[in-house]
mmCIF file of all heavy atoms in Angstrom:
data_model
loop_
_atom_site.group_PDB
_atom_site.id
_atom_site.type_symbol
_atom_site.label_atom_id
_atom_site.label_comp_id
_atom_site.label_asym_id
_atom_site.label_seq_id
_atom_site.Cartn_x
_atom_site.Cartn_y
_atom_site.Cartn_z
ATOM 1 N N ASP P 95 -25.773 -14.230 72.635
ATOM 2 C CA ASP P 95 -25.188 -15.338 71.887
ATOM 3 C C ASP P 95 -23.828 -14.908 71.323
ATOM 4 O O ASP P 95 -23.577 -13.722 71.115
ATOM 5 C CB ASP P 95 -26.125 -15.740 70.742
ATOM 6 C CG ASP P 95 -25.807 -17.107 70.173
ATOM 7 O OD1 ASP P 95 -25.148 -17.920 70.854
ATOM 8 O OD2 ASP P 95 -26.232 -17.380 69.030
ATOM 9 N N ASP P 96 -22.978 -15.875 71.094
ATOM 10 C CA ASP P 96 -21.680 -15.710 70.439
ATOM 11 C C ASP P 96 -20.658 -14.916 71.242
ATOM 12 O O ASP P 96 -19.761 -14.285 70.679
ATOM 13 C CB ASP P 96 -21.841 -15.107 69.034
ATOM 14 C CG ASP P 96 -22.532 -16.079 68.081
ATOM 15 O OD1 ASP P 96 -22.471 -17.297 68.329
ATOM 16 O OD2 ASP P 96 -23.141 -15.606 67.104
ATOM 17 N N GLU P 97 -20.744 -14.993 72.580
ATOM 18 C CA GLU P 97 -19.725 -14.353 73.408
ATOM 19 C C GLU P 97 -18.357 -14.998 73.181
ATOM 20 O O GLU P 97 -17.338 -14.317 73.211
ATOM 21 C CB GLU P 97 -20.109 -14.428 74.885
ATOM 22 C CG GLU P 97 -21.292 -13.543 75.223
ATOM 23 C CD GLU P 97 -21.780 -13.698 76.647
ATOM 24 O OE1 GLU P 97 -22.298 -14.781 76.985
ATOM 25 O OE2 GLU P 97 -21.633 -12.721 77.411
ATOM 26 N N ASP P 98 -18.355 -16.309 72.910
ATOM 27 C CA ASP P 98 -17.098 -17.006 72.638
ATOM 28 C C ASP P 98 -16.472 -16.514 71.337
ATOM 29 O O ASP P 98 -15.254 -16.296 71.261
ATOM 30 C CB ASP P 98 -17.320 -18.519 72.589
ATOM 31 C CG ASP P 98 -18.386 -18.952 71.593
ATOM 32 O OD1 ASP P 98 -19.272 -18.132 71.230
ATOM 33 O OD2 ASP P 98 -18.362 -20.115 71.159
ATOM 34 N N GLU P 99 -17.298 -16.287 70.331
ATOM 35 C CA GLU P 99 -16.812 -15.779 69.045
ATOM 36 C C GLU P 99 -16.253 -14.357 69.215
ATOM 37 O O GLU P 99 -15.225 -14.009 68.638
ATOM 38 C CB GLU P 99 -17.969 -15.784 68.036
ATOM 39 C CG GLU P 99 -17.566 -15.505 66.619
ATOM 40 C CD GLU P 99 -18.756 -15.595 65.664
ATOM 41 O OE1 GLU P 99 -19.584 -16.521 65.806
ATOM 42 O OE2 GLU P 99 -18.848 -14.712 64.789
ATOM 43 N N PHE P 100 -16.928 -13.539 70.018
ATOM 44 C CA PHE P 100 -16.471 -12.175 70.293
ATOM 45 C C PHE P 100 -15.083 -12.206 70.940
ATOM 46 O O PHE P 100 -14.177 -11.472 70.523
ATOM 47 C CB PHE P 100 -17.495 -11.462 71.187
ATOM 48 C CG PHE P 100 -17.171 -10.034 71.519
ATOM 49 C CD1 PHE P 100 -17.012 -9.078 70.526
ATOM 50 C CD2 PHE P 100 -17.044 -9.637 72.838
ATOM 51 C CE1 PHE P 100 -16.730 -7.748 70.835
ATOM 52 C CE2 PHE P 100 -16.766 -8.314 73.170
ATOM 53 C CZ PHE P 100 -16.608 -7.371 72.158
ATOM 54 N N ALA P 101 -14.904 -13.069 71.931
ATOM 55 C CA ALA P 101 -13.611 -13.185 72.610
ATOM 56 C C ALA P 101 -12.522 -13.674 71.639
ATOM 57 O O ALA P 101 -11.402 -13.141 71.614
ATOM 58 C CB ALA P 101 -13.719 -14.127 73.802
ATOM 59 N N GLU P 102 -12.864 -14.666 70.834
ATOM 60 C CA GLU P 102 -11.917 -15.220 69.867
ATOM 61 C C GLU P 102 -11.505 -14.173 68.829
ATOM 62 O O GLU P 102 -10.325 -14.029 68.500
ATOM 63 C CB GLU P 102 -12.579 -16.419 69.182
ATOM 64 C CG GLU P 102 -11.745 -17.124 68.158
ATOM 65 C CD GLU P 102 -12.527 -18.259 67.513
ATOM 66 O OE1 GLU P 102 -13.125 -19.063 68.253
ATOM 67 O OE2 GLU P 102 -12.540 -18.318 66.273
ATOM 68 N N HIS P 103 -12.488 -13.423 68.309
ATOM 69 C CA HIS P 103 -12.206 -12.449 67.253
ATOM 70 C C HIS P 103 -11.479 -11.204 67.773
ATOM 71 O O HIS P 103 -10.798 -10.533 67.001
ATOM 72 C CB HIS P 103 -13.496 -12.064 66.528
ATOM 73 C CG HIS P 103 -13.976 -13.145 65.626
ATOM 74 N ND1 HIS P 103 -15.196 -13.100 65.012
ATOM 75 C CD2 HIS P 103 -13.406 -14.307 65.220
ATOM 76 C CE1 HIS P 103 -15.360 -14.187 64.265
ATOM 77 N NE2 HIS P 103 -14.286 -14.939 64.397
ATOM 78 N N GLN P 104 -11.589 -10.940 69.065
ATOM 79 C CA GLN P 104 -10.816 -9.826 69.631
ATOM 80 C C GLN P 104 -9.329 -10.066 69.407
ATOM 81 O O GLN P 104 -8.581 -9.141 69.084
ATOM 82 C CB GLN P 104 -11.087 -9.695 71.132
ATOM 83 C CG GLN P 104 -12.450 -9.154 71.452
ATOM 84 C CD GLN P 104 -12.710 -9.154 72.948
ATOM 85 O OE1 GLN P 104 -11.832 -8.799 73.730
ATOM 86 N NE2 GLN P 104 -13.906 -9.540 73.348
ATOM 87 N N VAL P 105 -8.944 -11.328 69.560
ATOM 88 C CA VAL P 105 -7.544 -11.703 69.369
ATOM 89 C C VAL P 105 -7.235 -11.862 67.880
ATOM 90 O O VAL P 105 -6.280 -11.278 67.369
ATOM 91 C CB VAL P 105 -7.230 -13.015 70.124
ATOM 92 C CG1 VAL P 105 -5.813 -13.479 69.838
ATOM 93 C CG2 VAL P 105 -7.468 -12.828 71.618
ATOM 94 N N GLN P 106 -8.077 -12.641 67.182
ATOM 95 C CA GLN P 106 -7.828 -12.954 65.771
ATOM 96 C C GLN P 106 -7.770 -11.696 64.902
ATOM 97 O O GLN P 106 -6.898 -11.569 64.051
ATOM 98 C CB GLN P 106 -8.915 -13.887 65.255
ATOM 99 C CG GLN P 106 -8.739 -14.300 63.804
ATOM 100 C CD GLN P 106 -9.845 -15.229 63.341
ATOM 101 O OE1 GLN P 106 -10.629 -15.748 64.122
ATOM 102 N NE2 GLN P 106 -9.916 -15.441 62.038
ATOM 103 N N TYR P 107 -8.688 -10.771 65.103
ATOM 104 C CA TYR P 107 -8.764 -9.577 64.265
ATOM 105 C C TYR P 107 -8.140 -8.343 64.911
ATOM 106 O O TYR P 107 -8.051 -7.291 64.288
ATOM 107 C CB TYR P 107 -10.217 -9.254 63.915
ATOM 108 C CG TYR P 107 -10.908 -10.315 63.099
ATOM 109 C CD1 TYR P 107 -12.211 -10.693 63.396
ATOM 110 C CD2 TYR P 107 -10.285 -10.931 62.012
ATOM 111 C CE1 TYR P 107 -12.876 -11.657 62.644
ATOM 112 C CE2 TYR P 107 -10.930 -11.892 61.257
ATOM 113 C CZ TYR P 107 -12.225 -12.258 61.575
ATOM 114 O OH TYR P 107 -12.872 -13.200 60.835
ATOM 115 N N GLY P 108 -7.756 -8.450 66.186
ATOM 116 C CA GLY P 108 -7.156 -7.317 66.864
ATOM 117 C C GLY P 108 -8.115 -6.161 67.066
ATOM 118 O O GLY P 108 -7.784 -5.000 66.791
ATOM 119 N N TYR P 109 -9.315 -6.472 67.560
ATOM 120 C CA TYR P 109 -10.270 -5.392 67.827
ATOM 121 C C TYR P 109 -9.623 -4.347 68.732
ATOM 122 O O TYR P 109 -9.066 -4.691 69.777
ATOM 123 C CB TYR P 109 -11.513 -5.922 68.558
ATOM 124 C CG TYR P 109 -12.457 -6.810 67.779
ATOM 125 C CD1 TYR P 109 -13.536 -7.382 68.431
ATOM 126 C CD2 TYR P 109 -12.305 -7.065 66.426
ATOM 127 C CE1 TYR P 109 -14.444 -8.201 67.756
ATOM 128 C CE2 TYR P 109 -13.202 -7.876 65.739
ATOM 129 C CZ TYR P 109 -14.270 -8.440 66.411
ATOM 130 O OH TYR P 109 -15.161 -9.244 65.746
ATOM 131 N N PRO P 110 -9.742 -3.076 68.376
ATOM 132 C CA PRO P 110 -9.235 -2.023 69.266
ATOM 133 C C PRO P 110 -10.016 -1.994 70.584
ATOM 134 O O PRO P 110 -11.192 -2.390 70.637
ATOM 135 C CB PRO P 110 -9.476 -0.737 68.472
ATOM 136 C CG PRO P 110 -9.605 -1.188 67.043
ATOM 137 C CD PRO P 110 -10.219 -2.558 67.105
ATOM 138 N N ALA P 111 -9.380 -1.510 71.641
ATOM 139 C CA ALA P 111 -10.002 -1.481 72.974
ATOM 140 C C ALA P 111 -11.319 -0.708 72.979
ATOM 141 O O ALA P 111 -12.282 -1.126 73.635
ATOM 142 C CB ALA P 111 -9.033 -0.880 73.987
ATOM 143 N N ASP P 112 -11.396 0.406 72.243
ATOM 144 C CA ASP P 112 -12.641 1.184 72.231
ATOM 145 C C ASP P 112 -13.769 0.437 71.522
ATOM 146 O O ASP P 112 -14.934 0.561 71.901
ATOM 147 C CB ASP P 112 -12.427 2.574 71.626
ATOM 148 C CG ASP P 112 -11.979 2.549 70.177
ATOM 149 O OD1 ASP P 112 -11.219 1.623 69.785
ATOM 150 O OD2 ASP P 112 -12.377 3.453 69.417
ATOM 151 N N VAL P 113 -13.443 -0.351 70.521
ATOM 152 C CA VAL P 113 -14.454 -1.169 69.829
ATOM 153 C C VAL P 113 -14.979 -2.237 70.779
ATOM 154 O O VAL P 113 -16.193 -2.460 70.878
ATOM 155 C CB VAL P 113 -13.877 -1.796 68.536
ATOM 156 C CG1 VAL P 113 -14.803 -2.864 67.973
ATOM 157 C CG2 VAL P 113 -13.605 -0.707 67.497
ATOM 158 N N ILE P 114 -14.101 -2.885 71.499
ATOM 159 C CA ILE P 114 -14.499 -3.917 72.466
ATOM 160 C C ILE P 114 -15.409 -3.309 73.534
ATOM 161 O O ILE P 114 -16.478 -3.852 73.842
ATOM 162 C CB ILE P 114 -13.260 -4.568 73.117
ATOM 163 C CG1 ILE P 114 -12.450 -5.333 72.060
ATOM 164 C CG2 ILE P 114 -13.670 -5.480 74.272
ATOM 165 C CD1 ILE P 114 -11.065 -5.749 72.521
ATOM 166 N N ALA P 115 -14.995 -2.187 74.089
ATOM 167 C CA ALA P 115 -15.772 -1.554 75.162
ATOM 168 C C ALA P 115 -17.149 -1.104 74.670
ATOM 169 O O ALA P 115 -18.167 -1.342 75.336
ATOM 170 C CB ALA P 115 -15.004 -0.365 75.730
ATOM 171 N N THR P 116 -17.202 -0.469 73.508
ATOM 172 C CA THR P 116 -18.483 0.017 72.988
ATOM 173 C C THR P 116 -19.391 -1.144 72.615
ATOM 174 O O THR P 116 -20.608 -1.096 72.869
ATOM 175 C CB THR P 116 -18.265 0.952 71.783
ATOM 176 O OG1 THR P 116 -17.390 2.012 72.184
ATOM 177 C CG2 THR P 116 -19.576 1.533 71.290
ATOM 178 N N ALA P 117 -18.849 -2.189 72.031
ATOM 179 C CA ALA P 117 -19.646 -3.366 71.692
ATOM 180 C C ALA P 117 -20.247 -3.983 72.950
ATOM 181 O O ALA P 117 -21.443 -4.318 72.987
ATOM 182 C CB ALA P 117 -18.799 -4.391 70.944
ATOM 183 N N GLN P 118 -19.455 -4.119 73.995
ATOM 184 C CA GLN P 118 -19.940 -4.716 75.240
ATOM 185 C C GLN P 118 -20.976 -3.820 75.919
ATOM 186 O O GLN P 118 -22.006 -4.315 76.405
ATOM 187 C CB GLN P 118 -18.780 -4.996 76.200
ATOM 188 C CG GLN P 118 -19.174 -5.847 77.382
ATOM 189 C CD GLN P 118 -19.660 -7.227 76.980
ATOM 190 O OE1 GLN P 118 -18.915 -8.014 76.411
ATOM 191 N NE2 GLN P 118 -20.923 -7.538 77.250
ATOM 192 N N GLN P 119 -20.759 -2.516 75.933
ATOM 193 C CA GLN P 119 -21.734 -1.586 76.520
ATOM 194 C C GLN P 119 -23.059 -1.637 75.767
ATOM 195 O O GLN P 119 -24.135 -1.637 76.377
ATOM 196 C CB GLN P 119 -21.191 -0.153 76.505
ATOM 197 C CG GLN P 119 -20.062 0.086 77.475
ATOM 198 C CD GLN P 119 -19.335 1.397 77.198
ATOM 199 O OE1 GLN P 119 -19.651 2.127 76.266
ATOM 200 N NE2 GLN P 119 -18.327 1.682 78.020
ATOM 201 N N THR P 120 -22.988 -1.684 74.437
ATOM 202 C CA THR P 120 -24.200 -1.753 73.625
ATOM 203 C C THR P 120 -24.941 -3.053 73.890
ATOM 204 O O THR P 120 -26.166 -3.066 74.033
ATOM 205 C CB THR P 120 -23.854 -1.629 72.129
ATOM 206 O OG1 THR P 120 -23.175 -0.388 71.913
ATOM 207 C CG2 THR P 120 -25.105 -1.685 71.261
ATOM 208 N N CYS P 121 -24.203 -4.134 73.985
ATOM 209 C CA CYS P 121 -24.794 -5.442 74.279
ATOM 210 C C CYS P 121 -25.509 -5.417 75.631
ATOM 211 O O CYS P 121 -26.668 -5.855 75.737
ATOM 212 C CB CYS P 121 -23.707 -6.513 74.246
ATOM 213 S SG CYS P 121 -24.318 -8.188 74.504
ATOM 214 N N ASP P 122 -24.846 -4.899 76.640
ATOM 215 C CA ASP P 122 -25.431 -4.827 77.984
ATOM 216 C C ASP P 122 -26.715 -3.988 77.973
ATOM 217 O O ASP P 122 -27.709 -4.354 78.611
ATOM 218 C CB ASP P 122 -24.432 -4.245 78.980
ATOM 219 C CG ASP P 122 -23.216 -5.145 79.198
ATOM 220 O OD1 ASP P 122 -23.255 -6.333 78.803
ATOM 221 O OD2 ASP P 122 -22.212 -4.641 79.749
ATOM 222 N N TRP P 123 -26.703 -2.868 77.263
ATOM 223 C CA TRP P 123 -27.884 -2.013 77.160
ATOM 224 C C TRP P 123 -29.033 -2.747 76.452
ATOM 225 O O TRP P 123 -30.173 -2.710 76.900
ATOM 226 C CB TRP P 123 -27.531 -0.711 76.424
ATOM 227 C CG TRP P 123 -28.739 0.100 76.092
ATOM 228 C CD1 TRP P 123 -29.449 0.893 76.953
ATOM 229 C CD2 TRP P 123 -29.412 0.164 74.839
ATOM 230 N NE1 TRP P 123 -30.520 1.462 76.291
ATOM 231 C CE2 TRP P 123 -30.518 1.025 74.989
ATOM 232 C CE3 TRP P 123 -29.188 -0.412 73.590
ATOM 233 C CZ2 TRP P 123 -31.391 1.321 73.952
ATOM 234 C CZ3 TRP P 123 -30.055 -0.126 72.545
ATOM 235 C CH2 TRP P 123 -31.140 0.731 72.735
ATOM 236 N N LEU P 124 -28.709 -3.427 75.345
ATOM 237 C CA LEU P 124 -29.744 -4.125 74.578
ATOM 238 C C LEU P 124 -30.414 -5.242 75.370
ATOM 239 O O LEU P 124 -31.609 -5.483 75.201
ATOM 240 C CB LEU P 124 -29.161 -4.698 73.281
ATOM 241 C CG LEU P 124 -29.085 -3.734 72.113
ATOM 242 C CD1 LEU P 124 -28.227 -4.332 70.996
ATOM 243 C CD2 LEU P 124 -30.465 -3.383 71.592
ATOM 244 N N VAL P 125 -29.662 -5.924 76.223
ATOM 245 C CA VAL P 125 -30.245 -7.007 77.027
ATOM 246 C C VAL P 125 -31.443 -6.483 77.823
ATOM 247 O O VAL P 125 -32.454 -7.169 77.961
ATOM 248 C CB VAL P 125 -29.178 -7.641 77.953
ATOM 249 C CG1 VAL P 125 -29.813 -8.499 79.033
ATOM 250 C CG2 VAL P 125 -28.185 -8.451 77.131
ATOM 251 N N ARG P 126 -31.342 -5.265 78.332
ATOM 252 C CA ARG P 126 -32.470 -4.651 79.046
ATOM 253 C C ARG P 126 -33.489 -4.045 78.078
ATOM 254 O O ARG P 126 -34.691 -4.226 78.221
ATOM 255 C CB ARG P 126 -31.966 -3.562 80.002
ATOM 256 C CG ARG P 126 -31.153 -4.080 81.157
ATOM 257 C CD ARG P 126 -30.734 -2.972 82.129
ATOM 258 N NE ARG P 126 -30.074 -1.831 81.487
ATOM 259 C CZ ARG P 126 -28.785 -1.774 81.152
ATOM 260 N NH1 ARG P 126 -28.014 -2.813 81.380
ATOM 261 N NH2 ARG P 126 -28.271 -0.698 80.605
ATOM 262 N N ALA P 127 -33.003 -3.311 77.091
ATOM 263 C CA ALA P 127 -33.868 -2.514 76.218
ATOM 264 C C ALA P 127 -34.846 -3.347 75.393
ATOM 265 O O ALA P 127 -35.977 -2.903 75.154
ATOM 266 C CB ALA P 127 -33.024 -1.646 75.292
ATOM 267 N N VAL P 128 -34.463 -4.545 74.964
ATOM 268 C CA VAL P 128 -35.364 -5.336 74.113
ATOM 269 C C VAL P 128 -36.649 -5.732 74.837
ATOM 270 O O VAL P 128 -37.627 -6.098 74.189
ATOM 271 C CB VAL P 128 -34.696 -6.591 73.503
ATOM 272 C CG1 VAL P 128 -33.576 -6.205 72.540
ATOM 273 C CG2 VAL P 128 -34.210 -7.551 74.572
ATOM 274 N N SER P 129 -36.658 -5.625 76.156
ATOM 275 C CA SER P 129 -37.861 -5.964 76.937
ATOM 276 C C SER P 129 -38.559 -4.747 77.546
ATOM 277 O O SER P 129 -39.656 -4.885 78.088
ATOM 278 C CB SER P 129 -37.499 -6.925 78.069
ATOM 279 O OG SER P 129 -36.992 -8.129 77.553
ATOM 280 N N THR P 130 -37.914 -3.573 77.451
ATOM 281 C CA THR P 130 -38.470 -2.419 78.172
ATOM 282 C C THR P 130 -38.641 -1.155 77.347
ATOM 283 O O THR P 130 -39.363 -0.253 77.761
ATOM 284 C CB THR P 130 -37.571 -2.073 79.382
ATOM 285 O OG1 THR P 130 -36.256 -1.751 78.901
ATOM 286 C CG2 THR P 130 -37.498 -3.227 80.375
ATOM 287 N N ASP P 131 -37.952 -1.026 76.224
ATOM 288 C CA ASP P 131 -37.910 0.238 75.482
ATOM 289 C C ASP P 131 -38.421 0.082 74.051
ATOM 290 O O ASP P 131 -38.278 -0.982 73.446
ATOM 291 C CB ASP P 131 -36.470 0.774 75.404
ATOM 292 C CG ASP P 131 -35.862 1.081 76.760
ATOM 293 O OD1 ASP P 131 -36.594 1.098 77.766
ATOM 294 O OD2 ASP P 131 -34.637 1.312 76.813
ATOM 295 N N GLU P 132 -38.955 1.177 73.521
ATOM 296 C CA GLU P 132 -39.235 1.233 72.091
ATOM 297 C C GLU P 132 -37.908 1.427 71.368
ATOM 298 O O GLU P 132 -36.975 1.976 71.929
ATOM 299 C CB GLU P 132 -40.193 2.395 71.764
ATOM 300 C CG GLU P 132 -41.598 2.190 72.273
ATOM 301 C CD GLU P 132 -42.367 1.055 71.593
ATOM 302 O OE1 GLU P 132 -41.807 0.349 70.713
ATOM 303 O OE2 GLU P 132 -43.518 0.849 71.955
ATOM 304 N N PRO P 133 -37.815 0.944 70.178
ATOM 305 C CA PRO P 133 -38.848 0.406 69.292
ATOM 306 C C PRO P 133 -39.069 -1.096 69.425
ATOM 307 O O PRO P 133 -39.696 -1.717 68.592
ATOM 308 C CB PRO P 133 -38.274 0.718 67.905
ATOM 309 C CG PRO P 133 -36.795 0.506 68.098
ATOM 310 C CD PRO P 133 -36.510 1.034 69.487
ATOM 311 N N PHE P 134 -38.559 -1.671 70.535
ATOM 312 C CA PHE P 134 -38.582 -3.122 70.708
ATOM 313 C C PHE P 134 -39.917 -3.658 71.224
ATOM 314 O O PHE P 134 -40.099 -4.867 71.308
ATOM 315 C CB PHE P 134 -37.455 -3.552 71.656
ATOM 316 C CG PHE P 134 -36.106 -3.083 71.202
ATOM 317 C CD1 PHE P 134 -35.472 -2.028 71.827
ATOM 318 C CD2 PHE P 134 -35.474 -3.688 70.124
ATOM 319 C CE1 PHE P 134 -34.224 -1.579 71.410
ATOM 320 C CE2 PHE P 134 -34.231 -3.250 69.690
ATOM 321 C CZ PHE P 134 -33.602 -2.193 70.330
ATOM 322 N N LEU P 135 -40.846 -2.782 71.590
ATOM 323 C CA LEU P 135 -42.115 -3.224 72.177
ATOM 324 C C LEU P 135 -43.248 -3.257 71.156
ATOM 325 O O LEU P 135 -43.867 -4.298 70.951
ATOM 326 C CB LEU P 135 -42.483 -2.335 73.369
ATOM 327 C CG LEU P 135 -41.433 -2.263 74.479
ATOM 328 C CD1 LEU P 135 -41.858 -1.266 75.551
ATOM 329 C CD2 LEU P 135 -41.199 -3.644 75.078
ATOM 330 N N THR P 136 -43.534 -2.126 70.517
ATOM 331 C CA THR P 136 -44.666 -2.071 69.577
ATOM 332 C C THR P 136 -44.350 -1.386 68.259
ATOM 333 O O THR P 136 -44.978 -1.691 67.252
ATOM 334 C CB THR P 136 -45.877 -1.350 70.214
ATOM 335 O OG1 THR P 136 -45.490 -0.008 70.540
ATOM 336 C CG2 THR P 136 -46.354 -2.069 71.472
ATOM 337 N N VAL P 137 -43.392 -0.462 68.240
ATOM 338 C CA VAL P 137 -43.117 0.321 67.032
ATOM 339 C C VAL P 137 -42.859 -0.576 65.831
ATOM 340 O O VAL P 137 -43.374 -0.336 64.735
ATOM 341 C CB VAL P 137 -41.933 1.292 67.260
ATOM 342 C CG1 VAL P 137 -41.472 1.916 65.949
ATOM 343 C CG2 VAL P 137 -42.319 2.370 68.255
ATOM 344 N N TYR P 138 -42.071 -1.616 65.996
ATOM 345 C CA TYR P 138 -41.696 -2.475 64.869
ATOM 346 C C TYR P 138 -42.898 -3.161 64.227
ATOM 347 O O TYR P 138 -42.864 -3.514 63.043
ATOM 348 C CB TYR P 138 -40.654 -3.505 65.291
ATOM 349 C CG TYR P 138 -41.180 -4.641 66.126
ATOM 350 C CD1 TYR P 138 -41.658 -5.794 65.525
ATOM 351 C CD2 TYR P 138 -41.198 -4.569 67.519
ATOM 352 C CE1 TYR P 138 -42.144 -6.855 66.289
ATOM 353 C CE2 TYR P 138 -41.670 -5.611 68.279
ATOM 354 C CZ TYR P 138 -42.148 -6.740 67.665
ATOM 355 O OH TYR P 138 -42.632 -7.784 68.422
ATOM 356 N N LYS P 139 -43.975 -3.340 64.998
ATOM 357 C CA LYS P 139 -45.150 -4.040 64.463
ATOM 358 C C LYS P 139 -45.797 -3.269 63.312
ATOM 359 O O LYS P 139 -46.346 -3.870 62.388
ATOM 360 C CB LYS P 139 -46.155 -4.312 65.582
ATOM 361 C CG LYS P 139 -45.588 -5.296 66.606
ATOM 362 C CD LYS P 139 -46.512 -5.517 67.789
ATOM 363 C CE LYS P 139 -45.849 -6.470 68.784
ATOM 364 N NZ LYS P 139 -46.640 -6.687 69.964
ATOM 365 N N THR P 140 -45.715 -1.950 63.352
ATOM 366 C CA THR P 140 -46.230 -1.120 62.261
ATOM 367 C C THR P 140 -45.501 -1.448 60.959
ATOM 368 O O THR P 140 -46.111 -1.535 59.895
ATOM 369 C CB THR P 140 -46.023 0.376 62.592
ATOM 370 O OG1 THR P 140 -46.639 0.643 63.832
ATOM 371 C CG2 THR P 140 -46.589 1.272 61.517
ATOM 372 N N TYR P 141 -44.191 -1.647 61.057
ATOM 373 C CA TYR P 141 -43.394 -1.952 59.867
ATOM 374 C C TYR P 141 -43.631 -3.389 59.402
ATOM 375 O O TYR P 141 -43.643 -3.653 58.194
ATOM 376 C CB TYR P 141 -41.918 -1.656 60.130
ATOM 377 C CG TYR P 141 -41.687 -0.180 60.325
ATOM 378 C CD1 TYR P 141 -41.587 0.372 61.597
ATOM 379 C CD2 TYR P 141 -41.619 0.682 59.242
ATOM 380 C CE1 TYR P 141 -41.408 1.739 61.782
ATOM 381 C CE2 TYR P 141 -41.449 2.047 59.409
ATOM 382 C CZ TYR P 141 -41.347 2.565 60.686
ATOM 383 O OH TYR P 141 -41.181 3.919 60.854
ATOM 384 N N LEU P 142 -43.816 -4.309 60.325
ATOM 385 C CA LEU P 142 -44.166 -5.678 59.930
ATOM 386 C C LEU P 142 -45.479 -5.684 59.159
ATOM 387 O O LEU P 142 -45.612 -6.414 58.157
ATOM 388 C CB LEU P 142 -44.282 -6.594 61.155
ATOM 389 C CG LEU P 142 -43.052 -7.391 61.543
ATOM 390 C CD1 LEU P 142 -43.316 -8.171 62.828
ATOM 391 C CD2 LEU P 142 -42.573 -8.314 60.438
#
């Protein structure tokens, strides 16, 4: 969500290139990880 806001704020706030790249890499990783990796599967349930 909010890919449009990310693109807009890159210009508005002048995000540095390394911030943009790391944010996008983290996003891409999370898209997979939330369905396949801990703590996204069961670990969090202990805290709930």
Side-chain angles (χ1 to χ4, degrees):
D95 197 20
D96 292 336
E97 290 174 293
D98 55 337
E99 190 177 318
F100 182 59
E102 180 182 311
H103 286 171
Q104 288 175 42
V105 175
Q106 181 180 348
Y107 297 137
Y109 290 175
D112 62 325
V113 168
I114 295 167
T116 304
Q118 191 62 63
Q119 289 166 359
T120 302
C121 183
D122 294 346
W123 171 78
L124 276 168
V125 165
R126 293 183 308 278
V128 295
S129 298
T130 60
D131 298 348
E132 291 293 2
F134 305 105
L135 303 175
T136 61
V137 169
Y138 74 89
K139 294 176 182 178
T140 304
Y141 294 98
L142 266 176

